Amino acid sequence: MCCGIIGVLAIDGGSVAHVIRESLKRLEYRGYDSIGVATKYNGRLYIKKDKGKIDEIHRKLNLDALPGDIGIGHTRWATHGEPSQVNSHPHTDCKNQIAVVHNGIIENFLELRKELIERGHKFKSATDTEVIPHLIESFIEDGYTLEDAVQSTLAKLHGTYAIVVLYSHLKKLICARKESPLILGVGERALYCASDIPAFLPMTNKVLFLNDGDLAILQGGEIQLRRIQSFSSPIQIRKPVLIDWTPEMAQKGGMPHFMLKEIHEQPKAVQNTLRIRTEEIDRLVKLLNEANEIILTAAGTSYHACLYGGYLFAKLAKINSQQIISSEFSEKIGETLTDKSAILAISQSGETSDTLNAINYARNYGAKISAITNVVGSSITRSADYFIYTLAGPEIGVAATKTFLVQITTLALLGLTLAEIRGILNNSEVQDLRQQLFNIPKLIEQVIEKREDSIKVTADLLAHKPNFLFLGRGINTPTAMEGALKLKEISYIHAEAYPAGESKHGPIALIEPDFPVVFIAPQDNTFDRIVGNIMEMKARGARIISVTDSRKIHDLSDHTFWVPKGVPDIFTPLVNIVPLQLFSYYSAVRRNHNPDKPRNLAKSVTVL
Ligand code: M6R
C-alpha cells in the first residue's frame, strides 16, 4: 500500500540502474517522498538516494550511472522517520555489504534496534527498516548463509513487510513477503521482484504471484521458492501468469480509476491504522485529557471526521468537544482560547492552509496543538506539539476515501483509550470494543465484495437526478455529510446533508415525487426516529435510498445498500460510508466525469 520496491537481476549481465529507475518511475504512485537505488559491482555496493521526486533526484545524482548487473530500488512513502536522505531506502548494515528495501511496518523495531546498538551496531537512520540489514549482518557474522540469515531475521520481526535484500558478495536477490505485496517477473533477459506489476510490465508480462509467508531466491536464471516458516525444504515453483494490462491499467491495480482502487484498499488501510502504537495513542490522549476544553478542527472530509470524533468522544468517554471548520476557526473561537485548550487538527495532506492557519491562531493563545495526518513530514507535523500518522498510504484520487476511514479509525482508538483512563469503561469493556473494531476491516471488505455490483446498478439508474438529500442521525450525521460531499464533488450532482431531525425544519419543502433521499439508518438508538423521518419523506413521494442493516428499513426503501449487522453503534460510520463512496464513484462514471480529477479541486488546498 505504501512504498514501492523493485529488484532486478540481469541474467545476460547487462547494466540494471536505468531499468530500476524507470521501474521506480512507474511505481511512483505508491509513494513519492524519497527515492533510492543500490547496485552491486565487483564485490561492493553502490548506493544513491535522496529525498524528493525521482526525476529531480536523477537530474541531481544521475542514477543511471550506478554500475552492475544486479540491484534494488525504492520509492518511499514515509511511515517512520521523516523524508530525508538518511531515511531513504536502501538501508545498509555497518559494513555497507547488505542493502535492503522494505515496504511495510516493523512494529518491534525499537526493541530490536536497542539490542543491536548494545551489541555495537551503528544506526544511521530513524527508520524501522534499518534493523533488517543489521540483523542479517549479525547472523552472517555468526556463520549463517545469506538465505539462513534473512530467514532468521524475518523470524524476529513483528509487523508487515515486503523486502528485497542485496549482498555485495553474491549475484543473488532474496525477497520475502508478509502482508505487504510482492510479485516476481520472469523475463527472457532478467528476473524481477516488485511491489506491483507496472514496475516490470514493459519488460515482461509473465508474473509469479508470491503468497504471504513466501521467500524467493533469484539467482542466475533460476527462482527458488521457500516458506519463511519451514525454511529447509524448497516448495514447488508455481506457473507464471500472463498479464494483459497496459502499464497505466496496472498502476491502478487493473481498476479504471485510483478512486476505485483506493476504496478497495480501505480494509487494508484500516487494518494498518489499527496497528498505530499504543504509546502514540496514549500520548495524544494525555494531551487531550489534561485540557480544559477540546476543539477539533479541519476542512472538507477531514472536518466530517472531526464531527464523528465529537459524537464519539461524548458517547464513549463523556467528553464534550467543539468541532470548527478551519476557515472559520478564528471567527468562531474569538479570544476564548487559553493555555489549557487542546486543539486536535485533522488533515490527510497536512498542508491545508486553512487548517495550518487555525493551528497558528490557537498557538498564539498558548493552546496545546495535536494533529492527525497521513503525510509524514508534512507542514502540520512541524506546527503541532504532538501528532499521529494514519497509515493509509498515498491517496492519489482527489476525493478523500481511504484517508477518511483511517482518520475515523484513529479517533476510535483515541476514544477507547479516553474512555478507559477516565473510568467510563472498564478494561474488559474496552477490550471487547477493541476486538470489534479490529473486525471492521473484514466487514468493509464484505460490503465491497457483496454490494458493489448492486450499488453500481442503482447509481446507473439515478445518476441523471439533479439533486439529492442525505439524512442521518446521531453519529451517522457526519456519514450523511460525507456521503453528500463525495457525490457533489465528483459527480457534480447537487447534494445536501442534514441531521434527519432537522429535515422537517426546511429541507422537506424540496421534496416532490421521486426526489432522491438517502438515509443512513442503522439499528441504533435513533432507529425509531429515523423510521419516522423516512415515513415523512415517503408521504411526499420521495424515492428512498437507504444504507442499513434492517429489514424494516429495507421494506420502506426503493433501493437498499445493505451493510452487515452487529457493528457497535459507535463504529457504524466506518462501514456505512463505504456504499456511499461507491455510489458517488459510479454516479460520476455514469455521468462521464473523471472521479480522480474533479474540476476546480486540488488534492491539497494551499490557499486561504
Ligand atoms: O488534506 P486535508 O485533509 O486537510 O484536506 C481537506 C479538504 O480539502 C479535503 O478533505 C477535500 O474536501 C477533499 N476534496 C474531500 O474529498
Side-chain angles (χ1 to χ4, degrees):
M1 176 155 322
C2 40
C3 300
I5 64 179
I6 171 85
V8 182
L9 182 155
I11 305 164
D12 63 3
S15 80
V16 293
H18 69 288
V19 181
I20 294 174
R21 176 181 58 78
E22 284 162 12
S23 300
L24 290 176
K25 181 80 191 151
R26 289 186 293 273
L27 287 179
E28 216 176 11
Y29 73 94
R30 302 181 60 85
Y32 41 78
D33 63 44
S34 346
I35 290 288
V37 179
T39 55
K40 165 193 128 54
Y41 182 67
N42 265 352
R44 58 166 287 208
L45 296 183
Y46 293 80
I47 299 181
K48 291 186 180 181
K49 58 182 192 174
D50 208 347
K51 166 186 162 179
K53 296 237 165 83
I54 185 147
D55 291 338
E56 287 160 37
I57 293 169
H58 179 49
R59 267 195 302 277
K60 201 163 75 179
L61 304 178
N62 188 9
L63 297 171
D64 293 359
L66 287 163
D69 55 7
I70 183 166
I72 58 179
H74 189 270
T75 177
R76 181 167 188 243
W77 179 261
T79 55
H80 289 89
E82 64 171 18
S84 67
Q85 203 271 345
V86 278
N87 287 340
S88 310
H89 295 219
H91 289 287
T92 52
D93 63 322
C94 298
K95 299 191 217 76
N96 279 323
Q97 292 182 337
I98 298 151
V100 174
V101 288
H102 166 224
N103 168 27
I105 299 161
I106 307 302
E107 288 162 2
N108 58 337
F109 83 100
L110 284 174
E111 299 88 291
L112 293 170
R113 187 180 162 105
K114 188 164 168 273
E115 272 172 37
L116 286 158
I117 289 173
E118 280 164 10
R119 282 167 29 212
H121 286 260
K122 299 269 181 289
F123 278 75
K124 298 171 271 246
S125 77
T127 63
D128 52 342
T129 303
E130 200 183 343
V131 296
I132 303 175
H134 287 282
L135 281 170
I136 298 173
E137 175 184 30
S138 71
F139 284 114
I140 286 182
E141 279 168 0
D142 290 345
Y144 287 55
T145 62
L146 179 63
E147 290 87 330
D148 285 351
V150 173
Q151 192 268 340
S152 304
T153 295
L154 297 178
K156 282 179 151 295
L157 305 181
H158 301 166
T160 61
Y161 52 77
I163 57 160
V164 192
V165 180
L166 176 69
Y167 184 39
S168 57
H169 296 340
L170 296 170
K171 187 176 170 185
K172 187 186 266 193
L173 291 175
I174 308 226
C175 47
R177 66 164 290 200
K178 181 183 164 225
E179 293 178 41
S180 290
L182 194 67
I183 47 172
L184 305 181
V186 186
E188 296 285 311
R189 298 165 57 188
L191 296 177
Y192 308 87
C193 51
S195 305
D196 206 350
I197 295 167
F200 50 69
L201 196 56
M203 283 80 74
T204 181
N205 66 346
K206 279 192 195 166
V207 179
L208 205 153
F209 290 94
L210 294 179
N211 291 333
D212 231 20
D214 278 351
L215 179 147
I217 302 160
L218 279 51
Q219 187 172 27
E222 303 277 301
I223 297 173
Q224 214 187 87
L225 276 193
R226 302 185 176 192
R227 296 292 296 161
I228 297 167
Q229 293 305 327
S230 53
F231 192 59
S232 48
S233 45
I235 53 173
Q236 210 184 352
I237 195 97
R238 290 179 283 272
K239 243 182 116 174
V241 175
L242 291 185
I243 299 288
D244 60 359
W245 292 347
T246 64
E248 209 214 328
M249 279 163 77
Q251 283 197 333
K252 295 171 189 155
M255 299 205 182
H257 297 102
F258 280 110
M259 182 179 174
L260 189 60
K261 175 169 176 268
E262 286 155 5
I263 292 173
H264 279 250
E265 283 172 352
Q266 293 184 123
K268 188 74 187 162
V270 172
Q271 200 179 49
N272 282 342
T273 298
L274 288 169
R275 291 202 167 100
I276 292 174
R277 294 167 70 86
T278 318
E279 302 88 85
E280 293 185 47
I281 297 290
D282 290 351
R283 271 184 69 185
L284 205 149
V285 160
K286 185 165 181 288
L287 189 146
L288 299 178
N289 197 40
E290 284 171 355
N292 284 354
E293 60 170 348
I294 299 175
I295 303 154
L296 294 98
T297 188
T301 291
S302 300
Y303 171 67
H304 298 148
C306 292
L307 292 177
Y308 169 76
Y311 282 97
L312 183 88
F313 289 177
K315 278 176 178 281
L316 210 53
K318 298 197 178 160
I319 298 180
N320 186 29
S321 63
Q322 287 192 67
Q323 302 82 41
I324 304 181
I325 287 186
S326 294
S327 56
E328 287 293 309
F329 191 85
S330 58
E331 292 298 320
K332 180 89 195 292
I333 206 77
E335 307 214 334
T336 62
L337 293 170
T338 70
D339 61 358
K340 294 272 181 297
S341 311
I343 310 296
L344 176 53
I346 304 183
S347 170
Q348 76 77 26
S349 63
E351 301 295 347
T352 299
S353 296
D354 286 327
T355 309
L356 296 175
N357 218 29
I359 289 179
N360 290 338
Y361 182 85
R363 183 169 296 294
N364 289 335
Y365 292 85
K368 304 283 175 302
I369 315 287
S370 57
I372 297 175
T373 183
N374 195 47
V375 181
V376 171
S378 55
S379 302
I380 209 167
T381 64
R382 291 189 288 279
S383 307
D385 301 307
Y386 186 65
F387 51 84
I388 287 187
Y389 290 125
T390 52
L391 299 169
E395 189 174 68
I396 311 284
V398 165
T401 52
K402 61 177 179 170
T403 54
F404 175 67
L405 272 198
V406 296
Q407 289 169 348
I408 62 177
T409 302
T410 309
L411 289 164
L413 289 171
L414 292 172
L416 286 173
T417 307
L418 270 169
E420 187 170 6
I421 62 165
R422 291 169 69 87
I424 311 295
L425 295 179
N426 64 34
N427 184 266
S428 90
E429 289 166 324
V430 169
Q431 287 319 323
D432 180 47
L433 280 171
R434 194 180 291 275
Q435 202 61 43
Q436 302 200 55
L437 181 59
F438 274 70
N439 199 33
I440 297 281
K442 226 189 300 160
L443 303 182
I444 298 172
E445 205 164 84
Q446 275 175 24
V447 172
I448 298 172
E449 255 173 38
K450 291 197 191 157
R451 308 296 170 206
E452 183 168 355
D453 291 348
S454 65
I455 293 170
K456 179 179 181 307
V457 171
T458 310
D460 286 347
L461 205 72
L462 300 182
H464 66 284
K465 295 272 180 193
N467 297 295
F468 274 71
L469 186 60
F470 282 69
L471 300 175
R473 274 186 176 263
I475 204 158
N476 277 291
T477 300
T479 315
M481 297 176 85
E482 178 56 11
L485 176 65
K486 282 289 88 75
L487 187 64
K488 93 179 108 191
E489 70 177 335
I490 59 166
S491 71
Y492 318 143
I493 295 172
H494 174 240
E496 295 265 3
Y498 275 90
E502 187 66 8
S503 57
K504 59 186 174 296
H505 296 288
I508 200 164
L510 292 168
I511 305 305
E512 54 186 13
D514 221 29
F515 189 107
V517 184
V518 180
F519 278 93
I520 295 89
Q523 301 191 62
D524 63 8
N525 60 318
T526 68
F527 186 73
D528 291 342
R529 278 172 292 153
I530 210 129
V531 169
N533 298 131
I534 294 178
M535 300 306 287
E536 286 159 15
M537 292 293 159
K538 274 183 84 68
R540 283 147 186 98
R543 181 187 280 261
I544 308 296
I545 301 117
S546 60
V547 176
T548 193
D549 57 343
S550 148
R551 171 110 346 233
K552 181 169 176 183
I553 300 276
H554 165 73
D555 291 344
L556 294 173
S557 305
D558 298 285
H559 311 274
T560 306
F561 300 158
W562 285 103
V563 287
K565 279 190 194 311
V567 180
D569 298 354
I570 47 165
F571 301 145
T572 53
L574 280 150
V575 281
N576 289 346
I577 190 59
V578 178
L580 300 180
Q581 296 167 335
L582 287 166
F583 180 66
S584 307
Y585 170 78
Y586 283 111
S587 302
V589 170
R590 177 69 184 187
R591 290 165 69 98
N592 284 326
H593 301 310
N594 178 354
D596 286 344
K597 293 189 177 138
R599 68 185 179 210
N600 307 335
L601 289 175
K603 188 65 185 160
S604 56
V605 182
T606 53
V607 286
L608 287 175

